[in-house]
Amino acid sequence: MKILKFGGSSVAQPERIEQIVKILKDYYSQGEKFTVVFSAFGGVTDSLIAMSQAAEKGHEEEYLQLFEFFSQRHISTVKALLNESMQKMVLPELLENHQTLKNLLKGIFLVREASRRTMDYVLSFGERNSAYIITHVLQQHGINAHYLDARKVIKTDKNFGSAKVDFKLTYANIKDYYNNNPGVQVVTGFISSAKGGLTTTLGRGGSDYTASLLAAGMDATLIEIWTDVDGVLTADPRKVKKAFTIPSLSFAEAMEMSHFGAKVIYPPTLLPALEKNIALVIKNTFNPDHPGTHISNDIESGNQLIKGISSIGEIALLTLQGSGMFGVPGVSGKLFGALAQGNINVVLITQGSSEHSISFAIKPKDAKRAKKLIDKAFEYEIKSTIIDPVIVEEELSVVAIIGENMRYQPGIAGRLFQALGKNGINCVAIAQGSSELNVSVVINKADETKALVALHEAFFLSDTRVLHIFMVGVGLIGSTLLEQVQKQAKYLVEKQSIEIKVAGLSNSRKMLFNESGIDLGNWKKILMESEESDKAHLPTFIQKMKDMNLSNSIFVDNTASEQVSTFYENILESSISISTPNKIATSSSYLQYERLKTIAKKRGVRFLYETNVGAGLPVITTLNDLINSGDRILKIEGVLSGSLSFIFNSFNDGVNFSKIVREAKDRGFTEPDPRVDLNGIDVRRKLIILARETGLKIDAEDVVIENILPPACQEAESVPDFFEAIEAADDLFEQRRAEAAAQGQVLRMIARLENGEAKINLQAVDNSHPFYSLSGSDNMIVFTTERYKERPLVIRGPGAGAEVTAAGLFAEIITIGNFLN
Ligand code: ADP
Ligand code: ASP
Ligand code: MG
């Protein structure tokens, strides 16, 4: 004999019931012996609760409306699935049953009270209706089906709402009933009765339990739980999109999963099955060919480190602490005795080895009562101040990793905490069962989904990492980056197992969010057409990014905005990494620079800005690599500005300096006002950043800049005035150039860091110097170090441009991704 159970969603619509009929006809024709348990149609139990509550509150119209809907739903199912003669048989009884429910609700309405006892009776209408209707559907299809109201056989105490089963009596009843009633029994899930016949229920989700009680009562060979997912998945699929089916679980593992929140199996279900060693299979009604999950005692342990991840969304953590606990036996006995007395279930317990405190997690609804009970139990100790009154922390969740293989594997907890830590998730308490079947961590409720996703990635998908990008600024660099990411996406997934999802995007007008990743082939249109309410607003963008709380989040700032940089601190504090070509934060005050780096370190995230110097050229990375590998930096010299590089590289015999400056401006190589470049302000920023990376605590005023422009150029009020003034200075520049040329030298604007001093000046260099051969608008950085003394290390290449800057950012995003995992 097999017991099959179909859940609420499997019978939510007539078409779904037809699907089940197909499955059962198959079994029947193959000569299988089976019993079927049904839940109420999906949503019906909730609506029965809602209608009783409405009646209790005196909301007549509301409860009647809900009742009407209930009645119509069942009648229309009958009409959809049964032929006329069957309908004639079923409908009168059904209507009578509905009338009873209506009277009952009226009673609740009149006395304004729905006791737990009455509620259980009300709830029984859900399962009774569904099983009754489906019995007749099966009969119509030629199956010898009989309706069995489980209240006849499943006997419980009078703990209404979540009754305790009298196993002995129940099993005896089941045996007896089955001995006398051949044929396919169609059984109401969830409901039971107390001695004397009052209706009770087995707790929400209890139809699974009904199935295992029946199985244990008649020593069935197998229990099949048919639901709406492909078995027990590695995590709750509503929270972790990439969760997948666990092929097999031991009873102990399945129990841990269900106790820690995997709704797919109602926790008490497993015990009767385990005691009688009856295997369970969890299968999908909507995908019957999928093998689902097999639960039994003889499963292969496999080589997965863990089997699944579960969470309990809402718990309260209570802590009892005080000097009076140390070395005193009986404290925990008294503590848990008090909880037992209040019938309060404890989810998790942890005690520090100092024995100074005990923390335990319970359902939030019990927190107040638990505190009262414990404070009362320790009244004397609290009065004598050797124990403090219980501390209650709420808004917490528990996440647990589960699996028998943990027992044999070191390093599991390390991986767990690393994944949480890198995502900025704080562990409030930790517990590991001595069976080593689960490690549970109490975290803030707000981090629950993020923790599940991060752990799922760390344990199951360590090969595929998802990076969530939040980007502000989609100008030339930003849009080029998006294009590069889109083009490379397939390669990254296939070869590097990295999936980049752009979860947030903003320009100065609009912003856009999508947790599953914005379509990069179409982002411009989507951004433009996004709602008026999605007007760009930086603080809102950042708040939303934090609220989305996605794992591996990276903020990419492609602006040159000071406002954006003021948010870095806040972003890093939220454990979100930053990658940016924006130089403002790194080159403003040293204190600010240091602070940001410290926060990033403290939060375990990255703050990277390789593109601040030399765009895509690996300047900062190389410098850090040299330092980290023990080299000593003696000197850094650089032509760090593309515009200045172009100007001086083109300044040859017979060309006017002013003409080159004009050409540079016309070709877009300079700022709109070329003085910004010529005055060395931009180069100074870059030099400051390099100096700071070497460990120098340097600020802007510490950099000596040679002023190469004569006063008239500096003082010119407009750009045209400036050009006039610089034409007048052509001779001056030509003189310098000619003097150098006479010595076989050329002029270069060089930033230099040596002996702790930072300087930017126009220098003449001969052909022995790397800068001599510079051409075009290339940047060049020369590191002279202890190791690279004779022949310095040179980095040369284009130091500006959207394509190379975007590529630098792209590489940096991948670097951050690799660090985070
Ligand atoms: P039924 O109505 O069939 O009893 P339930 O809603 O009680 O179905 O349980 C199935 C649901 O449990 C799934 O749809 C899924 O959303 C949820 N669930 C939570 N955790 C898990 C998990 N680890 N594996 C599978 N399903 C899970
Ligand atoms: N119908 C009940 C509920 O919704 C029992 C079940 O579905 O298992 O809780
Ligand atoms: Mg269920």
Side-chain angles (χ1 to χ4, degrees):
M1 172 77 86
K2 274 187 192 170
I3 314 292
L4 280 62
K5 176 259 168 177
F6 292 89
S9 53
S10 303
V11 290
Q13 278 105 29
E15 310 82 67
R16 297 194 173 175
I17 297 175
E18 275 170 343
Q19 178 83 16
I20 294 172
V21 172
K22 239 193 249 156
I23 297 172
L24 295 180
K25 275 169 83 174
D26 233 28
Y27 275 65
Y28 198 64
S29 64
Q30 285 162 18
E32 291 261 18
K33 267 174 79 84
F34 62 90
T35 282
V36 218
V37 178
F38 286 102
S39 290
F41 295 166
V44 162
T45 307
D46 285 337
S47 91
L48 287 166
I49 292 174
M51 63 185 94
S52 336
Q53 284 172 347
E56 186 182 27
K57 285 193 196 121
H59 300 165
E60 188 171 20
E61 210 174 304
E62 188 187 342
Y63 93 73
L64 284 173
Q65 206 175 7
L66 285 166
F67 164 78
E68 257 335 293
F69 186 79
F70 166 94
S71 179
Q72 282 312 318
R73 180 170 176 189
H74 289 91
I75 292 169
S76 68
T77 308
V78 166
K79 290 189 171 157
L81 296 175
L82 292 177
N83 60 30
E84 283 202 8
S85 65
M86 274 290 202
Q87 283 184 31
K88 273 201 191 111
M89 238 168 65
V90 171
L91 282 177
E93 249 197 80
L94 207 64
L95 289 175
E96 199 185 313
N97 171 284
H98 292 183
Q99 190 56 45
T100 313
L101 173 62
K102 197 173 179 184
N103 293 343
L104 188 59
L105 291 166
K106 176 100 188 188
I108 296 176
F109 172 72
L110 290 175
V111 298
R112 297 285 198 275
E113 192 200 329
S115 65
R116 287 157 68 95
R117 168 175 153 178
T118 310
M119 285 299 283
D120 272 0
Y121 185 40
V122 171
L123 294 190
S124 74
F125 283 81
E127 268 66 13
R128 284 156 62 203
N129 269 269
S130 69
Y132 181 75
I133 293 171
I134 297 170
T135 307
H136 289 90
V137 177
L138 294 177
Q139 286 172 358
Q140 182 178 293
H141 279 91
I143 296 176
N144 180 18
H146 300 273
Y147 172 69
L148 168 57
D149 185 331
R151 291 178 297 180
K152 279 194 188 150
V153 288
I154 300 181
K155 289 291 172 186
T156 67
D157 66 5
K158 288 189 183 158
N159 189 5
F160 297 101
S162 186
K164 303 268 167 304
V165 173
D166 179 337
F167 293 101
K168 220 167 142 199
L169 186 56
T170 298
Y171 293 162
N173 286 345
I174 292 171
K175 268 206 179 74
D176 188 49
Y177 191 88
Y178 273 80
N179 283 339
N180 294 304
N181 293 278
V184 175
Q185 301 301 322
V186 180
V187 190
T188 55
F190 180 51
I191 62 174
S192 43
S193 67
K195 280 187 204 109
L198 284 173
T199 301
T200 55
T201 60
L202 301 172
R204 290 304 305 270
S207 299
D208 301 339
Y209 193 22
T210 307
S212 80
L213 289 169
L214 289 170
M218 65 182 94
D219 295 313
T221 50
L222 185 70
I223 303 164
E224 290 183 1
I225 307 271
W226 289 78
T227 182
D228 58 351
V229 282
D230 292 334
V232 182
L233 309 187
T234 45
D236 186 339
R238 293 164 299 183
K239 296 182 181 128
V240 180
K241 303 234 158 47
K242 291 191 171 167
F244 52 87
T245 303
I246 307 171
S248 59
L249 284 168
S250 69
F251 274 111
E253 288 170 333
M255 263 183 220
E256 295 284 337
M257 284 294 284
S258 76
H259 276 292
F260 276 92
K263 186 183 173 223
V264 64
I265 310 169
Y266 180 54
T269 307
L270 293 155
L271 214 55
L274 170 69
E275 273 170 4
K276 297 278 173 101
N277 198 15
I278 306 169
L280 281 103
V281 183
I282 317 292
K283 284 182 71 88
N284 189 350
T285 313
F286 310 106
N287 188 14
D289 294 332
H290 192 285
T293 299
H294 194 86
I295 301 168
S296 74
N297 267 338
D298 39 49
I299 57 151
E300 296 267 320
S301 63
N303 50 15
Q304 288 272 21
L305 291 180
I306 66 166
K307 283 288 183 68
I309 301 162
S310 255
S311 67
I312 302 177
E314 272 171 36
I315 58 125
L317 190 73
L318 276 66
T319 301
L320 185 70
Q321 62 184 28
S323 54
M325 290 171 65
F326 180 76
V328 180
V331 172
S332 45
K334 192 146 119 185
L335 168 62
F336 295 109
L339 291 173
Q341 189 198 334
N343 214 357
I344 294 169
N345 186 38
V346 178
V347 176
L348 153 166
I349 305 166
T350 111
Q351 175 175 29
S353 60
S354 71
E355 294 182 36
H356 188 75
S357 71
I358 300 178
S359 297
F360 54 95
I362 57 177
K363 290 258 177 274
K365 69 172 172 52
D366 295 329
K368 248 198 191 137
R369 221 157 38 87
K371 177 173 165 58
K372 234 189 195 159
L373 285 166
I374 300 165
D375 284 350
K376 179 101 192 42
F378 290 93
E379 201 175 3
Y380 167 76
E381 291 87 342
I382 292 172
K383 254 198 200 129
S384 22
T385 70
I386 51 171
I387 285 183
D388 304 334
V390 169
I391 302 164
V392 181
E393 292 169 90
E394 295 198 74
E395 297 286 305
L396 300 171
S397 298
V398 187
V399 292
I401 53 169
I402 289 152
E404 307 226 17
N405 281 358
M406 276 198 267
R407 209 173 293 154
Y408 317 109
Q409 297 277 357
I412 305 247
R415 195 185 287 206
L416 167 83
F417 295 118
Q418 198 173 27
L420 295 178
K422 288 209 167 141
N423 280 287
I425 299 164
N426 184 38
C427 304
V428 181
I430 302 157
Q432 174 176 25
S434 59
S435 62
E436 290 188 43
L437 223 77
N438 98 47
V439 181
S440 318
V441 184
V442 179
I443 58 171
N444 287 322
K445 163 114 194 87
D447 290 328
E448 184 193 354
T449 302
K450 186 176 171 183
L452 287 171
V453 174
L455 292 176
H456 199 262
E457 273 183 19
F459 283 98
F460 294 112
L461 311 164
S462 39
D463 330 317
T464 329
R465 274 155 281 153
V466 180
L467 310 183
H468 293 104
I469 306 296
F470 291 85
M471 187 187 288
V472 292
V474 282
L476 211 50
I477 293 176
S479 50
T480 309
L481 175 58
L482 292 174
E483 204 175 294
Q484 290 178 355
V485 170
Q486 191 202 1
K487 274 199 194 134
Q488 195 65 0
K490 195 160 170 269
Y491 172 88
L492 283 176
V493 170
E494 284 171 6
K495 304 282 188 215
Q496 300 294 326
S497 305
I498 290 178
E499 192 181 343
I500 298 187
K501 286 186 179 170
V502 178
L505 208 55
S506 178
N507 60 16
S508 55
R509 276 156 288 132
K510 290 282 187 78
M511 56 190 191
L512 181 66
F513 299 92
N514 185 343
E515 195 174 324
S516 336
I518 293 162
D519 173 8
L520 293 188
N522 208 13
W523 67 266
K524 268 192 192 133
K525 193 160 169 274
I526 309 174
L527 187 64
M528 244 159 52
E529 288 170 2
S530 63
E531 299 280 317
E532 186 57 19
S533 60
D534 295 330
K535 253 190 167 144
H537 183 242
L538 189 61
T540 312
F541 184 89
I542 287 162
Q543 191 53 45
K544 173 95 186 172
M545 165 173 78
K546 294 199 306 198
D547 290 346
M548 283 168 83
N549 207 6
L550 299 173
S551 59
N552 305 333
S553 289
I554 304 173
F555 180 76
V556 180
D557 170 16
N558 294 319
T559 70
S561 144
E562 168 153 22
Q563 197 212 353
V564 179
S565 73
T566 57
F567 280 93
Y568 287 0
E569 183 172 329
N570 180 307
I571 293 167
L572 294 169
E573 280 288 5
S574 314
S575 298
I576 295 172
S577 295
I578 297 179
S579 164
T580 183
N582 184 347
K583 292 188 272 291
I584 296 179
T586 38
S587 62
S588 58
S589 84
Y590 179 79
L591 265 181
Q592 185 61 29
Y593 162 90
E594 194 184 30
R595 186 172 164 83
L596 291 174
K597 295 204 105 173
T598 311
I599 293 173
K601 204 179 236 171
K602 204 168 73 189
R603 292 285 163 191
V605 292
R606 303 307 296 266
F607 170 44
L608 297 185
Y609 39 84
E610 174 61 270
T611 48
N612 277 193
V613 182
L617 300 177
V619 180
I620 296 175
T621 314
T622 306
L623 177 56
N624 284 323
D625 285 349
L626 290 172
I627 295 169
N628 292 338
S629 64
D631 205 350
R632 208 163 64 81
I633 309 296
L634 303 174
K635 186 163 66 174
I636 301 175
E637 294 163 293
V639 169
L640 300 175
S641 145
S643 36
L644 290 180
S645 181
F646 175 81
I647 290 171
F648 287 102
N649 296 346
S650 319
F651 189 24
N652 298 320
D653 196 9
V655 206
N656 280 339
F657 188 71
S658 61
K659 237 182 112 197
I660 302 169
V661 175
R662 197 179 288 278
E663 188 190 339
K665 174 173 161 23
D666 290 347
R667 290 174 62 170
F669 288 168
T670 68
E671 296 290 323
D673 184 341
R675 283 175 291 188
V676 175
D677 297 293
L678 289 164
N679 278 337
I681 304 297
D682 184 54
V683 175
R684 180 171 68 187
R685 287 196 176 136
K686 294 171 181 167
L687 185 59
I688 288 174
I689 296 167
L690 290 179
R692 288 176 177 174
E693 294 298 303
T694 67
L696 266 187
K697 295 184 178 175
I698 194 173
D699 272 306
E701 55 273 20
D702 302 323
V703 182
V704 180
I705 309 182
E706 180 193 352
N707 179 7
I708 59 169
L709 295 174
C713 292
Q714 297 287 21
E715 286 153 17
E717 293 205 347
S718 67
V719 175
D721 286 354
F722 156 73
F723 272 107
E724 229 170 75
I726 199 158
E727 265 169 40
D730 271 340
D731 286 349
L732 202 81
F733 282 101
E734 175 53 24
Q735 196 187 336
R736 261 183 108 161
R737 191 202 65 77
E739 261 172 33
Q743 315 272 330
Q745 294 175 325
V746 292
L747 295 178
R748 298 287 181 255
M749 190 73 170
I750 297 174
R752 181 193 305 267
L753 183 75
E754 194 174 10
N755 299 326
E757 282 174 14
K759 234 187 227 165
I760 299 166
N761 60 0
L762 192 60
Q763 290 179 39
V765 295
D766 64 22
N767 65 0
S768 68
H769 198 283
F771 291 143
Y772 184 85
S773 62
L774 257 185
S775 60
S777 61
D778 276 4
N779 278 14
M780 187 184 272
I781 295 91
V782 180
F783 294 111
T784 309
T785 72
E786 205 65 65
R787 288 181 198 143
Y788 292 95
K789 201 153 44 186
E790 302 308 320
R791 289 173 49 238
L793 176 69
V794 177
I795 298 171
R796 173 185 173 166
E803 198 65 40
V804 288
T805 309
L809 283 167
F810 195 178
E812 192 158 86
I813 289 169
I814 308 273
T815 304
I816 295 176
N818 286 331
F819 166 82
L820 289 177
N821 278 273

